[in-house]
Amino acid sequence: ARYACTMKKKRIVVLAVAVGIAAAFAYAWAKYSREEAAPYRFAAVERGDIRAAVAATGALSAVTTVQVGTQVSGRVVEIHADFNDRVKQGQLIARIDPTLLEQAVRDAQAGLERSRAQFEQADIEYRRNLELFTGKVLTEIEFNTAKFARAVAAANVKSAQVALDRARQNLAYTEIFAPIDGIVVERNVDVGQTVAANFSAPQLFLIAKDLSRMQILASVAESDIGSIRAEQPVTFTVQAWPSDTFPGTVKKVRLQSTTTDNIVSYTVVIEVANPDGKLLPGMTASVDFITGDARNVLTVPNAALRFRPTEAMIASVRAQPGGAGQGREGAHKSPDTAVLWYLDAAGKPVRARVHTGLTDGQRTEVSGQGLEPGREVIIGVTQASTGAAATNPFQSQPMGGARRF
């Protein structure tokens, strides 16, 4: 009984393998037969919408950003704002050690007091010499010496006052305040760090005024910049949200150009709404500038417009009534016309001249007599239709010979 059961299982396995082989053979033969029967590859004319666009890339940024620096050097002793903090205009966000600048203020105050004392002395001397000069006791030269000394002392007082005001202002610069209402995008210092403002003001913070409205600075090649204009609609995507498409509007095209690897490009500023805060500064945006939009039009794959007929197809068209005088396909075409090929009711190739419109890179708008949704147009030919022998899928390839693709 055990032996009979085993033999029965083996027969089932053998039968299943045989059925599988037969199915594979039938599928391959059917595919081969279809290729023999259909020498052309087709695609259907469809009715739909076409949107033409110019592609570019750019980076998101806040519309208004302010770099907060320092005009005095020193050690940072306090920081009151961090990344992503919202700050108000006039809010204290950092402090620099004021010790040296406080000493400078006291020194300037002492200098002002000294200058005032010298002025008082010069003024008293001037008044005394004025009485003597009036009484003809002093000569004019002696009187002028006292007069000029008083004027110099008065100027020294003004200079000392300016020095004191400068020292006080520098002391005030040790307190860093937010210049606008906004969000801290960057913080470039830490407590204890020394900043030097000898040559240029170092950046301590970068504050974005409003992230609910942002902008994209997109680089567009000169070959496409002619189709970009202000108020033009834009769509874009970012890697952080690959399934979302965001809208935007062209604000301006900057006149300044840049050249990279002999390619001239221009910067296009795009306004973007960011009410939910999903877009962040620095994100890379893949932008499509909408240059045209056609709705409910007939479209064909671009492969149908690029199709080039065989000599046999051209000969067949010439042999048809009224086709003897026709030249090669593509003759006398204008830039907005093209030729589509299809089969008539008798299965013979026929060509039709059509007008082309917008394209999205994959399909193109077409119009012409006899075009209708569902008509199958030729987009390619199979190996059999070119006159070459078809390859049997079950025929083995000769060893060592060149393989045909």
Side-chain angles (χ1 to χ4, degrees):
R2 180 179 300 177
Y3 174 77
C5 182
T6 302
M7 291 302 296
K8 184 177 180 180
K9 290 182 179 179
K10 288 183 178 179
R11 284 195 299 270
I12 293 174
V13 172
V14 172
L15 181 61
V17 172
V19 171
I21 294 175
F25 181 86
Y27 173 79
W29 181 258
K31 180 179 180 182
Y32 169 72
S33 300
R34 287 196 303 270
E35 291 180 352
E36 285 293 299
Y40 304 109
R41 291 184 291 112
F42 299 92
V45 177
E46 298 178 358
R47 184 173 295 278
D49 301 335
I50 286 288
R51 172 171 285 185
V54 171
T57 58
L60 281 156
S61 63
V63 176
T64 302
T65 57
V66 178
Q67 297 180 354
V68 182
T70 175
Q71 294 182 264
V72 295
S73 303
R75 182 171 56 88
V76 178
V77 293
E78 296 177 15
I79 290 180
H80 301 286
D82 203 352
F83 290 96
N84 301 345
D85 284 354
R86 291 187 175 273
V87 295
K88 295 292 185 180
Q89 183 177 3
Q91 177 181 336
L92 179 66
I93 56 178
R95 189 190 302 272
I96 295 175
D97 186 4
T99 303
L100 296 179
L101 295 176
E102 288 174 347
Q103 294 174 353
V105 169
R106 290 195 294 269
D107 182 64
Q109 287 175 335
L112 177 60
E113 293 173 1
R114 181 170 55 253
S115 297
R116 285 174 176 172
Q118 292 172 350
F119 173 76
E120 290 179 2
Q121 181 182 5
D123 185 62
I124 293 173
E125 187 69 18
Y126 166 76
R127 294 179 184 279
R128 187 178 66 83
N129 288 339
L130 177 61
E131 294 177 359
L132 295 175
F133 176 71
T134 303
K136 307 295 183 178
V137 177
L138 290 179
T139 64
E140 184 177 358
I141 295 177
E142 292 173 330
F143 172 71
N144 285 340
T145 300
K147 179 181 178 181
F148 295 151
R150 180 180 181 275
V152 170
N156 288 338
V157 171
K158 293 181 179 179
S159 178
Q161 183 64 56
V162 171
L164 177 59
D165 293 340
R166 183 188 304 113
R168 287 174 174 170
Q169 186 61 60
N170 287 335
L171 178 60
Y173 285 149
T174 60
E175 294 182 331
I176 311 299
F177 299 96
I180 60 173
D181 295 347
I183 300 174
V184 178
V185 178
E186 295 181 16
R187 177 176 65 81
N188 302 316
V189 292
D190 294 302
V191 173
Q193 182 175 341
T194 299
V195 293
N198 295 332
F199 302 102
S200 61
Q203 178 180 307
L204 307 184
F205 300 90
L206 181 65
I207 299 178
K209 184 176 182 180
D210 183 12
L211 293 183
S212 65
R213 299 204 59 83
M214 302 185 70
Q215 66 180 9
I216 300 174
L217 301 181
S219 179
V220 179
E222 62 174 328
S223 58
D224 296 323
I225 200 64
S227 58
I228 309 301
R229 63 187 184 279
E231 305 301 325
Q232 188 171 0
V234 169
T235 61
F236 67 95
T237 60
V238 294
Q239 295 181 0
W241 310 98
S243 60
D244 294 343
T245 300
F246 302 91
T249 305
V250 174
K251 181 179 181 182
K252 69 173 64 174
V253 178
R254 292 181 178 174
L255 301 180
Q256 183 181 10
S257 64
T258 58
T259 303
T260 305
D261 296 332
N262 295 325
I263 298 177
V264 179
S265 59
Y266 295 84
T267 298
V268 179
V269 183
I270 303 166
E271 292 182 329
V272 176
N274 187 30
D276 51 7
K278 296 173 68 174
L279 302 175
L280 303 178
M283 284 184 172
T284 300
S286 298
V287 183
D288 286 330
F289 297 90
I290 310 303
T291 58
D293 196 359
R295 299 186 177 276
N296 196 31
V297 295
L298 296 177
T299 66
V300 296
N302 288 355
L305 302 176
R306 294 192 300 264
F307 173 71
R308 293 295 177 264
T310 64
E311 293 294 335
M313 296 173 65
I314 296 175
S316 176
V317 171
R318 289 176 177 174
Q320 298 174 18
Q326 298 185 27
R328 280 183 173 272
E329 180 273 328
H332 308 295
K333 284 198 306 180
S334 62
D336 60 344
T337 62
V339 172
L340 293 178
W341 287 80
Y342 60 94
L343 300 182
D344 61 11
K348 295 181 179 180
V350 179
R351 65 181 180 180
R353 195 175 302 278
V354 297
H355 293 278
T356 58
L358 294 177
T359 180
D360 61 4
Q362 296 180 342
R363 301 186 69 88
T364 299
E365 174 191 2
V366 292
S367 61
Q369 186 175 3
L371 280 181
E372 57 185 11
R375 175 181 291 277
E376 290 192 333
V377 293
I378 300 175
I379 62 173
V381 295
T382 63
Q383 187 178 13
S385 64
T386 63
T391 302
N392 189 324
F394 304 106
Q395 181 179 355
S396 60
Q397 295 291 334
M399 297 298 294
R403 185 177 179 184
R404 175 174 295 176
F405 292 89

